[in-house]
Amino acid sequence: MNIGRILGARCIEAGITQVHWDLGENTSESDKEKVFREALVQSGIELKEPKYQASPSPYIPGIDYENYDVRHEPVDDYEEPTRRARRQQGLRQEAQRQLGETGEK
């Protein structure tokens, strides 16, 4: 299996058709690098710097809390989940105790 073929196929599936290929300070490629690069090219990947593509809508980081208007209705019967669970468990135990005293099942 050639990793270049696998990577090239996955890039094409994901819509990536151009990849920047730079050897950096090393100006010569090893045999393995040549085989890898050739497999990418055979897969349909262009080894050049992709053109800059502006985003269709500008990204604005964060939430503007000053202009973010959310109004919540107050909840009168809010109980913490652990307190509610303890209360429900107590109610179940009380019901079981009452059933046990009357002999009903």
Side-chain angles (χ1 to χ4, degrees), residues 84-96:
R84 179 180 296 153
R86 283 191 213 120
R87 184 175 59 82
Q88 289 173 346
Q89 184 180 11
L91 292 173
R92 269 191 240 110
Q93 289 173 349
E94 181 64 29
Q96 288 174 349

Side-chain angles (χ1 to χ4, degrees), residues 23-35:
L23 294 174
E25 306 227 350
N26 182 14
T27 57
S28 64
E29 285 182 315
S30 70
D31 291 337
K32 290 180 181 181
E33 289 172 332
K34 286 179 186 177
V35 171

Side-chain angles (χ1 to χ4, degrees), residues 28-104:
S28 64
E29 285 182 315
S30 70
D31 291 337
K32 290 180 181 181
E33 289 172 332
K34 286 179 186 177
V35 171
F36 179 78
R37 179 179 46 80
E38 289 171 5
L40 283 175
V41 171
Q42 288 174 358
S43 298
I45 302 294
E46 296 178 43
L47 300 179
K48 64 179 185 179
E49 183 71 32
K51 292 180 181 178
Y52 174 74
Q53 231 177 356
S55 176
S57 61
Y59 171 70
I60 302 170
I63 297 174
D64 182 9
Y65 286 103
E66 292 174 3
N67 296 319
Y68 191 72
D69 187 27
V70 176
R71 297 189 178 124
H72 297 283
E73 296 295 323
V75 179
D76 293 333
D77 62 341
Y78 175 76
E79 289 183 279
E80 290 182 42
T82 54
R83 188 179 298 165
R84 179 180 296 153
R86 283 191 213 120
R87 184 175 59 82
Q88 289 173 346
Q89 184 180 11
L91 292 173
R92 269 191 240 110
Q93 289 173 349
E94 181 64 29
Q96 288 174 349
R97 207 171 332 163
Q98 288 177 357
L99 285 174
E101 291 175 0
T102 59
E104 295 177 18

